[in-house]
Amino acid sequence: MDNETSTGHVTRKAVLRAALAAGIAAPTVLMGVPALARTLTAGEAAPPLTPECDDGDDPTVPQTEGPYFKPDSPLRNSLLGSGTVGVRLTVSGYVFGLACRPIAGALLDFWQADTNGAYDNTGFRFRGHQFTDAQGAFKLTTIVPGLYPGRTRHLHVKVQAPGRPVLTSQLYFPGEPRNNTDSIFDARLLMSVRDAGTAKEAAFDFVLNVPQNPGPSPTATATTQPPGGSWAAGTAYRAGDRVTYGGPAYVCLQAHTGQAGWEPPNVPALWRAV
């Protein structure tokens, strides 16, 4: 979340964020960088690298899904439509694993209330999913959600690295009066929010419970298609498409491009056995 710890140390995750924004390879910029990257005083030894991306709030904590989740949301990074009413909000950030290395191709599924605090339970207004890019980055364009009884302002999200379990959580806004009375609110899930003219910009980094080596990723190798299976990495699938994988048949739930690790048995958010 924040770029500094309570002691004023710049976090290792913040160093990596800055490197990615500048176009520097993440493993290169982190070579020799201590877990809490900072200026050392004379005679002070650099602390060793830690095996986990621990900035005091990691991995990202899970929260309840709530009653309004719907599968099969459209693939899009903007939830705005014609005539959308509300304060524009852009949320950006990265998805990291436990070694503070970005995760490319992670699935993020967002849903939220409209400016009046209502959810669209018949269609897909203010619902959509996207995937992180090669640097593990995502960007969502939406509006600030409205309030409804019992809750503070929040965004819902599901995050899933390829072939890994789904993290379900919520994101919150700082300075909201209802943060103090909402029994679900968790300060570890506060976004960093600032004004941008009449709109708002927010940032949040997800850290998933995905083991990683601190060094460069091994070179990807071609995967062997399972005998008799029609699923293939690199294929663009649409909702409703059917494939076979290792014998069983599956139907596609959300449009996406197949990747190694996203074989149908591994990603129930994308495929359902039939």
Side-chain angles (χ1 to χ4, degrees):
M1 296 189 304
D2 296 330
N3 287 344
E4 295 188 359
T5 65
S6 59
T7 59
H9 298 163
V10 179
T11 65
R12 184 171 181 235
K13 187 169 62 179
V15 173
L16 193 145
R17 277 180 59 92
L20 293 175
I24 304 172
T28 300
V29 77
L30 287 178
M31 286 182 181
V33 177
L36 296 177
R38 55 194 169 92
T39 301
L40 301 176
T41 58
E44 184 179 4
L49 286 172
T50 56
E52 295 188 352
C53 183
D54 186 359
D55 287 347
D57 58 351
D58 303 323
T60 303
V61 294
Q63 287 213 314
T64 178
E65 177 182 281
Y68 302 120
F69 172 71
K70 288 181 59 176
D72 307 332
S73 70
L75 175 63
R76 58 188 180 187
N77 56 20
S78 175
L79 306 186
L80 303 180
S82 177
T84 297
V85 176
V87 176
R88 297 295 191 268
L89 171 69
T90 301
V91 183
S92 60
Y94 294 89
V95 177
F96 296 109
L98 291 178
C100 276
R101 298 183 59 228
I103 299 176
L107 170 67
L108 299 104
D109 195 345
F110 292 96
W111 70 102
Q112 66 171 86
D114 65 16
T115 192
N116 296 315
Y119 288 84
D120 180 7
N121 296 317
T122 58
F124 290 94
R125 291 181 67 247
F126 298 111
R127 299 176 184 270
H129 73 274
Q130 60 180 279
F131 299 92
T132 55
D133 64 16
Q135 286 73 46
F138 71 91
K139 185 175 182 179
L140 174 72
T141 303
T142 182
I143 63 168
V144 175
L147 295 167
Y148 58 92
R151 293 303 317 275
T152 190
R153 295 187 203 277
H154 62 280
L155 304 174
H156 292 271
V157 63
K158 289 181 180 286
V159 190
Q160 182 180 31
R164 302 292 299 184
V166 176
L167 167 72
T168 300
S169 196
Q170 301 182 34
L171 301 180
Y172 296 99
F173 295 78
E176 287 288 330
R178 290 195 186 181
N179 288 350
N180 296 324
T181 58
D182 188 329
S183 62
I184 301 176
F185 170 77
D186 191 322
R188 293 172 292 179
L189 298 170
L190 280 168
M191 297 181 289
S192 297
V193 181
R194 68 176 184 178
D195 293 330
T198 59
K200 292 185 179 293
E201 295 178 346
F204 190 88
D205 295 330
F206 295 94
V207 177
L208 301 183
N209 190 15
V210 175
Q212 295 174 316
N213 294 321
S217 300
T219 303
T221 56
T223 58
T224 302
Q225 183 153 321
S230 62
W231 180 91
T235 301
Y237 292 106
R238 297 171 299 178
D241 287 349
R242 291 174 178 261
V243 299
T244 57
Y245 184 86
Y250 298 85
V251 63
C252 180
L253 299 178
Q254 304 191 54
H256 67 283
T257 298
Q259 299 186 35
W262 287 2
E263 295 82 359
N266 296 334
V267 280
L270 299 179
W271 297 98
R272 183 181 71 239
V274 295

